[in-house]
Amino acid sequence: TASQESMAAGFTAIRVGALAAAAAIGAFGAAFKNIVNGIDALNDLKDATGASIENISALEDVALRTGASFDTVSTSLIKLNQGLNSAKPGSDTENAIKAIGLSVKDLKALDPAEAFRQIAGGLSGFSDDANKARLTQELFGKSLKEVAPLLKDVAEQGKLNSTVTTEQAEAAETLNKHYSSLQKNVTDLARSIAGELIPSLNSLAVEMAAAKKTSIGFWDGFLTQG
């Protein structure tokens, strides 16, 4: 009847709406988790380089606004740290830093992100030629192609403007730990349930195989007698 068709259409609409809502919630959850992971990644780079969350987030802000990525920021700071820590008096690295009007000793005393900003400023005084490229490559190695544009963008900005605080990054790390703990608890529960079910399922499989063998024998005998 018309009323039944109308009710069926209504139920269909409800089901479609529920599925759409579930998909939207799932997409939001995934997007939110990605944001949390992005903030938490600042903690990892802080641990690797000693730069502050605020300064790392400032470099990331410049990178993302100009088409670069957080990976470029990470590579830049790690390479710079390695170069400064291994720079010996008279080395090519020390000479490159002197050439842009800075000193290894002073840069080592700074937050690595601030040291990066000062190097960016020093390099900005050079023309975009082979000499500048050599200096940049000496300081950042084979990552020159990705780092050079970031250096230029940071120099143009002039100062570091943080977008994430230490407290926010720590909160994101805590939340990720809770996520991981929850996932581990779910895994443990699933394994516990599976551990109890597996023996029963094995027994059932053996019984079904035996029953099948018996039934085949029965029908073989029945057909032979027939």
Side-chain angles (χ1 to χ4, degrees):
T1 66
S3 61
Q4 290 176 328
E5 290 177 356
S6 177
M7 288 178 64
F11 284 131
T12 299
I14 291 172
R15 285 196 293 268
V16 171
L19 289 173
I25 292 171
F28 174 79
F32 181 74
K33 186 64 167 64
N34 285 337
I35 292 172
V36 173
N37 287 342
I39 297 174
D40 192 16
L42 303 179
N43 290 308
D44 296 334
L45 188 54
K46 174 188 176 183
D47 293 340
T49 64
S52 71
I53 293 294
E54 286 75 10
N55 281 345
I56 293 172
S57 72
L59 288 183
E60 181 195 37
D61 183 61
V62 175
L64 296 182
R65 290 179 185 279
T66 55
S69 68
F70 179 73
D71 287 342
T72 301
V73 174
S74 178
T75 299
S76 302
L77 291 185
I78 290 173
K79 283 285 187 183
L80 179 59
N81 255 12
Q82 291 173 341
L84 291 176
N85 289 334
S86 62
K88 293 181 172 53
S91 66
D92 291 339
T93 299
E94 184 186 51
N95 291 335
I97 289 173
K98 283 183 177 179
I100 59 177
L102 301 171
S103 78
V104 171
K105 181 180 178 180
D106 290 343
L107 291 176
K108 280 184 176 182
L110 297 175
D111 179 299
E114 173 59 23
F116 182 90
R117 188 195 68 79
Q118 291 198 14
I119 288 174
L123 287 169
S124 68
F126 289 76
S127 300
D128 292 329
D129 55 16
N131 185 42
K132 182 177 181 178
R134 280 192 293 271
L135 291 173
T136 305
Q137 185 164 5
E138 177 58 43
L139 296 174
F140 298 98
K142 296 180 181 179
S143 56
L144 169 65
K145 183 178 179 181
E146 292 79 22
V147 175
L150 178 60
L151 286 164
K152 184 175 181 180
D153 293 330
V154 169
E156 289 176 354
Q157 179 161 304
K159 63 178 182 178
L160 299 178
N161 298 309
S162 65
T163 59
V164 177
T165 66
T166 298
E167 291 75 16
Q168 290 170 332
E170 289 175 349
E173 183 177 37
T174 299
L175 182 57
N176 262 347
K177 287 179 179 178
H178 288 157
Y179 276 139
S180 298
S181 178
L182 178 61
Q183 289 173 342
K184 181 61 170 65
N185 289 338
V186 170
T187 298
D188 288 345
L189 177 60
R191 286 179 175 176
S192 176
I193 294 172
E196 294 178 1
L197 287 176
I198 287 172
S200 298
L201 291 174
N202 283 333
S203 297
L204 180 60
V206 171
E207 291 174 4
M208 289 179 66
K212 181 179 179 182
K213 184 176 180 181
T214 301
S215 65
I216 291 174
F218 170 78
W219 285 108
D220 284 346
F222 177 79
L223 292 172
T224 301
Q225 289 176 3

